[in-house]
Amino acid sequence: RRKEGVFIYINGNIEYFPGCYYFFLQWFRIGRIYPHFRYTQKDLMMYWEACYADPRSYGILYVKNRRLGWSTMCQSECLNRATQYREGLVGIISKTGKDAKSFFRKTVSGFRKLPFFFQPETDGTTNPKTELAFTKPAKRITHKTKAEYEEDDSLETFIQHYSTDLNSMDSEKIAPIQIIEEPGKFPKQVPFTGYWEVAKECLVEGDELVGKAMV
């Protein structure tokens, strides 16, 4: 269902929920509650799924009203995509470094509340400050122990937040998604038109788009 979506009846009408919106309503807890269904959100996430599937699209640039829940849906998508993706990097930037850190903290909180079957192995950090790492915990090697080489089945995917600078994420390969929150409020020294020239290159490998932006 989180990959292919689900059809349900609402007031006798058949409605389709894309997988990302199903995941948001069913599994992404906000504090002590789960999100309420809204038709506006469903249509928006349908459009996002179309952007994600289109090989020509860099993602979605959404100009919105306040209190629609877009930031919360972006936090949910960070987890929905990252927990299914191998050797990936989800990058987060906002109008200030403090806001990006707050977004990251809420994403980590949502991860902790996911059921165990949606939680990949992590590096063991209980309260990550800058990076949520889906990797095996590090093992200390001493003269009394030897390294054991075994196949690593961890995702090797990371979720990180960045400072609000023109070169943030520069030279990184960002996939499956990149979050650029409130670019209309970026500081004057970091105009979004200038930053986007850097950010969009992070989504490209060769001539292929490997990541998508939620802006």
Side-chain angles (χ1 to χ4, degrees):
R1 289 180 176 179
R2 74 186 286 208
K3 290 183 178 180
E4 299 179 4
V6 61
F7 287 93
I8 68 170
Y9 277 102
I10 299 178
N11 292 334
N13 298 314
I14 296 176
E15 301 284 354
Y16 173 70
F17 281 21
C20 59
Y21 192 49
Y22 169 83
F23 179 86
F24 174 66
L25 293 178
Q26 184 73 15
W27 300 114
F28 190 77
R29 226 169 79 194
I30 307 168
R32 297 182 179 181
I33 66 171
Y34 289 95
H36 297 295
F37 163 69
R38 300 181 188 178
Y39 271 105
T40 306
Q41 290 180 342
K42 179 182 76 74
D43 291 343
L44 176 60
M45 296 309 273
M46 285 272 286
Y47 185 78
W48 159 244
E49 283 278 20
C51 294
Y52 195 86
D54 189 338
R56 304 163 300 174
S57 172
Y58 279 93
I60 182 172
L61 172 61
Y62 181 50
V63 182
K64 67 182 186 68
N65 296 325
R66 288 185 56 80
R67 314 309 300 171
L68 183 72
W70 176 243
S71 293
T72 308
M73 288 189 288
C74 288
Q75 292 156 15
S76 173
E77 267 299 85
C78 282
L79 299 177
N80 180 39
R81 302 291 176 178
T83 54
Q84 301 180 76
Y85 197 90
R86 287 194 177 275
E87 298 183 9
L89 173 60
V90 174
I92 299 166
I93 187 172
S94 187
K95 63 181 184 291
T96 67
K98 183 178 180 181
D99 287 281
K101 185 176 182 179
S102 175
F103 185 103
F104 174 80
R105 177 176 51 80
K106 292 173 184 176
T107 303
V108 171
S109 176
F111 175 74
R112 288 177 180 156
K113 294 167 185 172
L114 288 178
F116 72 92
F117 47 81
F118 281 158
Q119 289 191 4
E121 185 176 33
T122 68
D123 64 355
T125 306
T126 58
N127 189 28
K129 302 297 184 182
T130 60
E131 176 183 84
L132 178 57
F134 301 140
T135 62
K136 280 186 176 295
K139 293 182 179 180
R140 186 174 182 181
I141 306 300
T142 68
H143 68 281
K144 294 183 179 180
T145 63
K146 62 179 181 179
E148 296 180 359
Y149 295 97
E150 56 186 22
E151 186 176 351
D152 187 353
D153 59 355
S154 60
L155 287 182
E156 294 293 328
T157 292
F158 302 84
I159 301 176
Q160 297 179 5
H161 68 86
Y162 294 79
S163 59
T164 313
D165 298 311
L166 274 176
N167 62 351
S168 283
M169 302 187 209
D170 189 20
S171 76
E172 297 274 27
K173 172 188 169 184
I174 304 294
I177 62 171
Q178 171 190 77
I179 305 294
I180 304 177
E181 192 188 33
E182 299 196 78
K185 299 178 182 177
F186 274 18
K188 290 182 180 180
Q189 66 271 24
V190 190
F192 175 65
T193 50
Y195 179 68
W196 177 242
E197 294 303 313
V198 174
K200 71 180 183 180
E201 293 303 317
C202 300
L203 305 172
V204 179
E205 187 173 46
D207 59 356
E208 180 185 2
L209 276 167
V210 295
K212 303 285 180 167
M214 299 184 84
V215 186

